[in-house]
Amino acid sequence: MARTVGIGIQNFEKIITNNCFYVDKTDFIREWWDSMDDVTLITRPRRFGKTLMMSMVEQFFSVDYANRGDLFEGLSIWNHEKYRELQGTYPVLSLSFANVKEKNYKTTREKICRLLTNLYIKYSFLKESEVLTDADRAFFDRILSVEISDSDATLALYQLTDYLYRYYGKKVIILLDEYDTPMQEAYVDGFWD
């Protein structure tokens, strides 16, 4: 029976669980992991599947998807025991700036700060853990506040990765999608400066 081609589906789990047609790109995980790069910039033309690939990477590594090897069974990455053991074992921060398409600096900054706040809300369980100090908890609360200072905003991801590292004992994988959208909008709408 023919599979549905899910045009525009950007969530790996949705493609797999709905049995949509999928071109196996899981070898990217192996190639990327084996390269041991600290930073990887993936540049491809629009509509090339970058967001879907980042979803795949997130769902492969993220502790939020521990014991979800079923998503990868039958795919190339699952042929390697080394990688089956890696599935679901890392903290992963996934952040997308795709919807940060504002007309001025003030609302762009507010939206980025809201994205940071939402990340902190997702990981709010860290506040109750013993890995955070009182100073860490105070920083956490500042990110959850209505007004985030510039200095706190610029440190927010760094701090959260540190908290997650202390909690899980593993380095954090950060996936940043559409990183250039706010800059592109700033240029187009004339508030680049």
Side-chain angles (χ1 to χ4, degrees):
M1 181 168 188
R3 291 184 178 186
T4 301
V5 176
I7 304 294
I9 299 175
Q10 298 178 330
N11 183 294
F12 179 76
E13 180 182 21
K14 186 175 182 179
I15 287 211
I16 298 302
T17 58
N18 289 325
N19 201 29
C20 294
F21 179 76
Y22 176 70
V23 174
D24 187 353
K25 294 184 181 180
T26 58
D27 255 353
F28 170 81
I29 295 167
R30 184 185 51 74
E31 291 171 17
W32 176 70
W33 191 256
D34 287 348
S35 73
M36 297 175 36
D37 294 332
D38 285 338
V39 176
T40 302
L41 176 64
I42 301 170
T43 58
R44 296 289 186 274
R46 292 179 51 76
R47 313 302 318 151
F48 199 80
K50 295 181 297 293
T51 300
L52 176 60
M53 188 171 353
M54 293 220 282
S55 174
M56 173 193 69
V57 170
E58 175 186 8
Q59 292 169 21
F60 183 80
F61 286 106
S62 177
V63 293
D64 294 340
Y65 286 85
N67 303 314
R68 287 303 314 268
D70 60 299
L71 296 174
F72 298 91
E73 288 175 5
L75 298 174
S76 176
I77 193 70
W78 216 243
N79 294 329
H80 308 275
E81 184 176 344
K82 170 185 172 182
Y83 293 97
R84 289 195 302 269
E85 292 172 4
L86 279 176
Q87 195 279 318
T89 62
Y90 276 82
V92 176
L93 292 178
S94 185
L95 187 63
S96 175
F97 287 164
N99 293 321
V100 183
K101 296 180 178 182
E102 307 309 310
K103 299 291 182 192
N104 58 61
Y105 174 79
K106 181 180 184 291
T107 55
T108 298
R109 185 191 181 287
E110 287 171 358
K111 203 161 195 179
I112 291 171
C113 286
R114 172 51 55 196
L115 291 171
L116 294 172
T117 298
N118 289 344
L119 267 181
Y120 272 69
I121 289 169
K122 178 178 178 180
Y123 295 101
S124 60
F125 66 88
L126 291 169
K127 276 186 67 176
E128 308 309 318
S129 75
E130 294 180 10
V131 300
L132 265 63
T133 66
D134 289 340
D136 294 330
R137 287 184 187 88
F139 182 86
F140 211 106
D141 287 338
R142 289 197 309 270
I143 300 301
L144 295 175
S145 72
V146 175
E147 283 294 320
I148 303 172
S149 72
D150 286 345
S151 61
D152 283 348
T154 59
L155 284 173
L157 278 179
Y158 172 81
Q159 288 301 126
L160 188 54
T161 59
D162 180 54
Y163 303 155
L164 288 166
Y165 174 76
R166 286 190 251 161
Y167 185 83
Y168 288 105
K170 289 188 170 187
K171 287 190 174 184
V172 178
I173 297 170
I174 301 174
L175 301 172
L176 181 57
D177 197 14
E178 298 284 343
Y179 68 92
D180 59 336
T181 297
M183 294 179 286
Q184 188 174 2
E185 294 300 314
Y187 181 77
V188 169
D189 289 319
F191 63 97
W192 180 261
D193 292 337

